Amino acid sequence: MSETMPILYVPAPMLRARARLVEATDDVRALSEKMLATMYAAPGIGLAAPQVGEALRLVVLDVSAKDAPPNPVILLNPEVVAVSEDLATREEGCLSLPGMYADVARPHVVRVRYQGLDGSKQEIEGEGLLAACLQHEIDHLNGVLFIDYLSPLKRNMFLRKLAKDLKRERDQ
Ligand code: GNR
Ligand code: NI
């Protein structure tokens, strides 16, 4: 397996930046391999380049079940092009907010246009967990985190708890 990368935690400014378009280059292919290794090691079901310190519109994900064969997907410049009217609520977590989980309502189905690692145009339609993951990762490319969908009270509670948890970890 490829080498892993350190994951940035809130409040790293990179997590609030807008990421730049990427081209299908060898560097981006190498980065996507390292991101997949980082995501699987975490473990997580998705990872966006800003979470590993690269302000690029690059996402990796794998929502396959634990007992199923791996199904890595790499998306360059993903964009949501259609969403269902119906919403689904599920509990989300984020590798950049370790230990924090909250219910988030999002469109149940999304269609996403992106480029593959060879630069080819692709589309993927996802529902359920895949839809939530696609939207969560694309949000990262725009500096948006799942806690932004919570009430300010709940968000601030999370942020204070996270700061405390991370300080405790540093001081240990
Ligand atoms: O591992 C992750 N799980 C998850 C669960 C529900 C909705 C979205 C996600 S993505 C998250 C990994 C992550 O932080 N990706 O940016
Ligand atoms: Ni995340």
Side-chain angles (χ1 to χ4, degrees):
M1 195 160 76
S2 178
E3 141 192 27
T4 64
M5 303 173 80
I7 295 175
L8 298 179
Y9 299 142
V10 168
M14 171 70 69
L15 295 171
R16 291 307 196 173
R18 190 182 159 82
R20 304 183 311 274
L21 292 171
V22 280
E23 288 179 67
T25 61
D26 286 345
D27 281 356
V28 165
R29 282 184 277 272
L31 175 59
S32 66
E33 279 305 309
K34 289 171 72 176
M35 285 173 57
L36 275 172
T38 303
M39 179 191 80
Y40 285 126
I45 60 168
L47 188 70
Q51 294 181 276
V52 290
E54 299 284 348
L56 299 172
R57 304 188 82 76
L58 173 64
V59 162
V60 299
L61 60 86
D62 186 341
V63 299
S64 63
K66 250 195 291 190
D67 53 5
N71 183 28
V73 182
I74 298 168
L75 304 97
L76 281 63
N77 306 316
E79 297 175 70
V80 174
V81 293
V83 298
S84 63
E85 227 170 281
D86 58 312
L87 305 181
T89 299
R90 72 170 53 242
E91 187 173 74
E92 296 197 12
C94 182
L95 295 173
S96 295
L97 292 145
M100 311 286 136
Y101 302 91
D103 282 352
V104 179
R106 302 183 186 266
H108 177 54
V109 187
V110 289
R111 175 163 282 277
V112 170
R113 187 174 298 156
Y114 66 99
Q115 288 162 266
L117 267 188
D118 58 357
S120 62
K121 284 199 170 178
Q122 311 272 350
E123 281 198 359
I124 184 172
E125 187 171 86
E127 68 167 76
L129 182 60
L130 176 56
C133 187
L134 284 165
Q135 293 172 82
H136 176 117
E137 300 315 333
I138 292 171
D139 273 353
H140 273 301
L141 306 182
N142 299 321
V144 175
L145 302 169
F146 81 86
I147 52 169
D148 298 340
Y149 300 103
L150 309 179
S151 71
L153 186 75
K154 201 158 185 195
R155 177 165 60 246
N156 287 326
M157 204 180 73
F158 269 64
L159 292 172
R160 279 194 297 271
K161 181 173 187 314
L162 181 65
K164 211 168 150 185
D165 290 353
L166 292 175
K167 180 176 188 302
R168 189 176 300 122
E169 204 167 284
R170 272 198 306 275
D171 291 349
Q172 224 176 346

